[in-house]
Structure formats: C-alpha cells, structure tokens
Amino acid sequence: MAARLVKRCTCLLREATRLAPAGSPVGRLRLARVAHKTLTSSATSPSSHSGSLSQHVEKEPVFTPYPERQEVDKLIEKATQPEELLELLDAGHCLHQNHAALVLIQLSRLLSERPEDRASLLQDARFQKLLHLVNSQVTVVWHGTLVKLLRSLYSLALPEASKELRSVEQEVRWRMRRLRYKHLAFLAESSTAYMQERGSQELLAELLVSLERRWAEIEDSRTLVAIMTNLGHLSESLMNRLEDKCLELVEQFGPDELRKVLLALAAQNRRSVPLLRAISYHLVQKPFTLTKGVLLDLAYAYGKLGFHQTQVFQRLAADLLPLMPSLTSSEVARCAKSFAFLKWLNLPLFEAFAQHVLSRAQSIPLPHLCNVLLAFARLNFRPEQEDSFFSLVHEKLGGQLAGLDPALQVDVLWALCVLQQARDAELQAVLRPEFHTQFLDGRSPKGQGTFQKLLHVNATAQLEHPEYTGPLLPASALVPRPSALDRKATPLQKELQETLKGQLGGADRARFSVGTQYGWVLDAEVLLDAEGQFLPLGDFVAPHLAPPSGGQPLPPKAKRLAFLRWEFPNFNSRSKDLLGRCALARRHLLAAGFLLVDVPYYEWLELKSEWQKGAYLKDKIRKVVAEELAK
C-alpha cells in the first residue's frame, strides 16, 4: 500500500511540474495546494483518476501577476532628466521585466521635449545597454507596456535596421491576436505614421487586418474616432466597418466626436449618406454647445462632401453670427468658401462677412479677400455696401494683382465679371498675350476650367465693355473644345431636344448643343421670322459661332432664340436664384443678341405628357417674343 502511494505521488508531482510555470512563486504555492488536495483525495479515495490534478490546475487560473509597486517605479515616474533614468541601470536597483521598458518609455517622453539631446543619447553606452536589456526581456513585457515601448522606439528614431526595434515589432506581431482592442487602437493612433515612414508595412498590414476582424469589440466613441482618423484611409473594408460602428454609437457622440468623424469622411471624400444623415439628425436635435472651431470644421466638411441639410445649415449660420467679431480674416474666408460650396446663401451671414472685410480694410490679406470675393461670385451675392466693398477690392488689387498666382488672377477677374465690377485695366492685365498664352494648351481638368473662365472674361470685354479697346484672345482660341461638347446628356436635355424636334418640322431648323465663342453651350438654337415661322439656320450668318458661319444676313425683324435648360445644381440651395456662373451666361447671351427661352427643372418636371411639353415650349417662345416686341 505504501509503495503504491509513493508511486502515485511521483506521477502527480511530475505532471504538476509539467503544467505549472516555473518562474512564478504564486503558481508554485497554488500547485502545492492543489497537489495536497489531490493527494488527500487519492489517499481517501483510491479510485481517483490520474487526470484529477489537470482538472484542478485548469480550474485555478495560473498567471504571473504584475509585481508590486517598488521604489524604482517612483524614481522612473519622477525623473525629469534623461541622466536620472540612465543612472538607474547602475544604481543596484532590482529591475523586473517591465522596468527596462518603462525606463525607455519615460526616456522618449523626456526627449520629445528636448529633441536636441537625442543624437548624443543614442551614442551613450548606457543607452545601448538599456536597449540590449529591453531586447533580452521583450518576451515577458506586459501587453500595455509593449505597445508603448514600440511607440517610444519609433519616436526615438532608431535606425530601421536596429535589432531591438525589429525584435519589438516581431513580438507585437506574435502577440497581435492576444492584444486587447484598446492596445490595437493605441498602436493605430500613435504609431501608424511611423510605420508608414519607416517601412514597417508587414506590421501595419497585420494591424489593419486585426482591427477589421475585431471591429465589433469597439465600445467607446473615442477609440472609434481615433481609428477612423488614423487608419480609415488605408483600408476601404475597415472604413466600411467603422462607418457601421459609427451608426451604432452615434448617439453617444459629443460635438467633438461628430466633428472628427465628419473631417475624416471629408479627408477621404467619402459621402456616406446614412452616416451623414445620422450625424445631421443629432446636430439638429441635441442642444450641443458648438464652439467656433467646431462650427468652422462642420461647415468645411459639409461643403467638401456636398451634403445638403437645411436645418444644419440654419443652425451653423445662426451660431456663427454672434461669433463674427471674434473671427479672424482667415476664418471668415474659410467659412465663406464653405458656404459657397454648399450653395447656401444666408443673407445676414454674408452681410456680416462683407462688414468684416470692410472693418479690417487695412489689415486683411489679399488671398483672404480673394476667397471672400470668389464666394460672393459663386452665389451671385452683392452686399448692401456694394460701392465701399468693391472700392476696397479694386484698391487691394491695384498693386498686387500681378503678384498672385496666374490661375488665381483669372479666378479673381472672373468673379469681378460675374458681379459686373471688372475694370478695363484689369481685363487688359489678364487678356494680354504674354499672360494668357500659358492657359491655351491646358489639358488637366484645372487647366481647362481656368481656360473656360478666360473665355468668359474675354466675352465680358467684348459684350459688356463697349469702350474696351483690347487686347482679346486670338480667334483660334475661341473654337469650342471637344471636351465642352461631348458631355453626357442629362434626361432633361434629351427630353427638351426631342420635344423641340417634334415642334420644328425639319432637322435644318435648329442646332443642338451649340458651342459659342463666348464659352457657353446652348441646348438649342432657332431662328424666327417676322411672322413667327422657323427659318433654316444654315443659310444665315451666325456671328456667335467660332469661326462664324453662313453668308446671308438675317431677314428684317427676324429673331434668334437660344434654349437654356437649368438643372437643380444651377440654383442656390432651397432657392430659384441662379448661381453666379449661370447669371453671367444669361447676361452674355442677351448682350450677343439672343432671346432666351429658360427651361428650369422645377417647371419641366411638372409636365407629364408630350403634348404638355410641346405646349409649354410654344408658350415660352410666345412670351419671349411678346416681351421683346413690348420693348
């Protein structure tokens, strides 16, 4: 019996030694307790199975507890000089496996405040000893300390080939699945930029995969916003998951979280309509106190994304008005630009913008004034103090226009043309050959847009400034480019052209998608004689084309009609007022001798049958001709 008992004890102790961690005193104590219980059970119950110890060990969680706080921990936290931390290595302190990492973390914090000491520290032998110690203990460093250690090594700008840096990166990769989500979020927030700069693409790729797979573990808004801001742009699938989580947690967001989410979407140009609607709802319904910075960022994000929400815009405008005296010229210019992108014309707010410019006439920088001017032109807004405002604009431009970027010079003069404030000297500065030649061969979208505005400036000089003597753009530059005529036809454009073809009675009695030398494209063009009958266009002179066509002059009392469709994007938001660009087109075509038949989308959509559409166009033509005869 005694022999069997000794044999049994030997087997149990061998199994216990295999299962329990060797370096843990607490684990050994628990093992002894478990073994004692098992032995007692074996002595009283001979039928006990040899697996009973394994069951007890599994039930008792064995772990290595974080060591109790020691004096060296306080010394590390209180250190204010790198030298104090390096002296701890040779002071005879008992350093456990986390202390070396904690010293390195605190060292990086101190050096972030004194970057000039970094180079000398990297050459210090004690620092190299510290790195070696960290490298030897990296496998036993706790998770939270490990991710902070990696961030600290990045901030210390160790060489990319550093053995210690690669060792810590590899350890983080090995532990990736065991790290808590907050540790992954910390890496995303603090180390993403370093990983991209230093070529740690494998670690970054694994971090992205882990964040995406475990996205459901996100519990707080701060973590969500941090990941979206720092890593969302690197992974489309991760960003989709984060947007879903935002919809789930959006009720918990404060104004700052809402601002950061909108800025992240704007930076990536992601127009996530469900999320934008949810954010807009909470901005309207909750009594948030929105600071000046939040208001400006919200206006920018909505403008960049082109998302229209009337109640949000009303609140932004109402909250910004009392803050106008505290805004800088840069903030006013930015705000005006944002609302212009939104096509939202709030008269009190834009009057406040104009008053701000006038009150700071001597100090406002010219680029900020230009941005305000461009915003006014986009919305076709003229302030009440129009004379004072534009006198200031001309005064500022007088000596500084030539110093602006060439494309900005064209933009500014185009804005003045829209607002009917351009002067002959300013027109000459932009239309002179040595200036405009640089834009004639532009092929990029921005270059083509600038050239289009140059055509409008040239048309303004021709049609609205009878005393202007030149120079003008060469005739070869006025020929419409294929890109201006080959745009995809909209449903309204197709229906309008089909209805007109049915009314005219002949293909030669109208032109469609007519490119003019003024930079505008007509949806259709027809000629009416004195009796209101349609004439064949090819027989008569057409001075608006480039180059002009036809040979016969128009018959007496004949009228040239241009059909212009106005789609939803051509109007200010929640308004039937055309944008500045469209108003400029109408003025130019009227000055060129056309009678305009305007076809706005909101009238056309009410017409259900082909008969109604035909009758609508006939009525429009009669009204336009009658108004002309009444003059």
Side-chain angles (χ1 to χ4, degrees), residues 472-516:
L472 295 170
L473 295 181
S476 59
L478 304 181
V479 178
R481 298 184 177 182
S483 58
L485 303 175
D486 294 341
R487 295 177 182 175
K488 183 178 179 180
T490 66
L492 172 56
Q493 184 178 7
K494 292 177 181 178
E495 292 178 11
L496 174 61
Q497 293 180 356
E498 291 299 325
T499 304
L500 270 176
K501 289 176 183 177
Q503 298 291 321
L504 296 176
D508 63 338
R509 299 181 185 276
R511 294 191 186 100
F512 297 100
S513 298
V514 184
T516 67

Side-chain angles (χ1 to χ4, degrees), residues 171-208:
E171 184 66 23
V172 171
R173 291 178 64 189
W174 275 107
R175 297 195 203 179
M176 191 70 74
R177 292 187 178 182
R178 289 181 288 155
L179 293 177
R180 296 176 64 182
Y181 205 89
K182 70 175 185 179
H183 296 143
L184 300 179
F186 178 84
L187 279 177
E189 186 174 3
S190 63
S191 303
T192 300
Y194 291 113
M195 293 180 194
Q196 292 177 293
E197 293 173 3
R198 303 177 70 83
S200 303
Q201 298 301 322
E202 294 180 355
L203 176 58
L204 181 58
E206 291 189 23
L207 177 60
L208 287 170

Side-chain angles (χ1 to χ4, degrees), residues 43-65:
T44 58
S45 178
S47 61
S48 298
H49 192 269
S50 61
S52 59
L53 178 63
S54 300
Q55 297 172 4
H56 280 283
V57 172
E58 290 174 2
K59 290 178 182 179
E60 291 276 349
V62 179
F63 61 92
T64 303

Side-chain angles (χ1 to χ4, degrees), residues 30 40 52 67 72 109 129 139 185 196 259 267 315 379 453 457 493 571 586 595 599:
R30 288 177 177 165
T40 304
S52 59
V72 67
R109 289 175 183 164
K129 178 181 177 182
T139 57
Q196 292 177 293
R259 175 184 69 88
R315 175 168 186 186
L379 301 180
K453 290 182 177 180
V457 172
Q493 184 178 7
F571 294 88
R586 292 190 84 260
L595 300 183
V599 183

Side-chain angles (χ1 to χ4, degrees), residues 351 354 381-388:
E351 287 291 350
F381 170 74
R382 294 176 176 81
E384 289 184 358
Q385 301 183 36
E386 183 175 349
D387 294 340
S388 301

Side-chain angles (χ1 to χ4, degrees), residues 144-158:
T145 307
L146 182 66
V147 294
K148 293 179 182 178
L149 175 63
L150 180 59
R151 190 270 311 270
S152 299
L153 291 178
Y154 282 141
S155 65
L156 287 171
L158 294 183

